[in-house]
Amino acid sequence: MKQCDQNIKSTLEIAEEMIRLANEGDADREDTGCGIHYGILLDSAYKIKKLAEEEREVHIKKGWWK
C-alpha cells in the first residue's frame, strides 16, 4: 500500500476511535459542558471521516488503492 493510502486508512481509523470515544463519553457525562465537548468531538469525527472516505474514493478511481 502506498504511504498516502496508508495515511488515509489511518485517518479513517482515528475518526472511528473519535466516534467511539464521543459516544462513550456522552453516555458517561454528568454535565452539559461535557455534552458540548463530546458533541463537537463527534461532529468533527464525522467530518474527518467523510473527507477521508472521499479521498479514498479518488485514490480507488486512480487505481492507487490496494
Side-chain angles (χ1 to χ4, degrees), residues 5-64:
D5 294 339
Q6 181 59 48
N7 292 339
I8 294 169
K9 182 180 176 200
S10 295
T11 300
L12 289 166
E13 291 168 357
I14 291 167
E16 287 298 328
E17 179 63 16
M18 289 171 67
I19 292 167
R20 185 204 61 75
L21 177 59
N23 288 329
E24 183 179 309
D26 190 51
D28 295 337
R29 71 183 170 92
E30 296 183 4
D31 59 43
T32 56
C34 284
I36 292 167
H37 167 83
Y38 292 117
I40 291 170
L41 181 62
L42 186 62
D43 184 56
S44 298
Y46 279 119
K47 288 177 181 177
I48 292 167
K49 181 179 177 182
K50 182 178 184 284
L51 289 169
E53 288 173 340
E54 289 171 354
E55 193 60 26
R56 179 181 62 193
E57 289 303 312
V58 169
H59 285 220
I60 289 170
K61 288 178 182 173
K62 288 181 178 180
W64 295 354

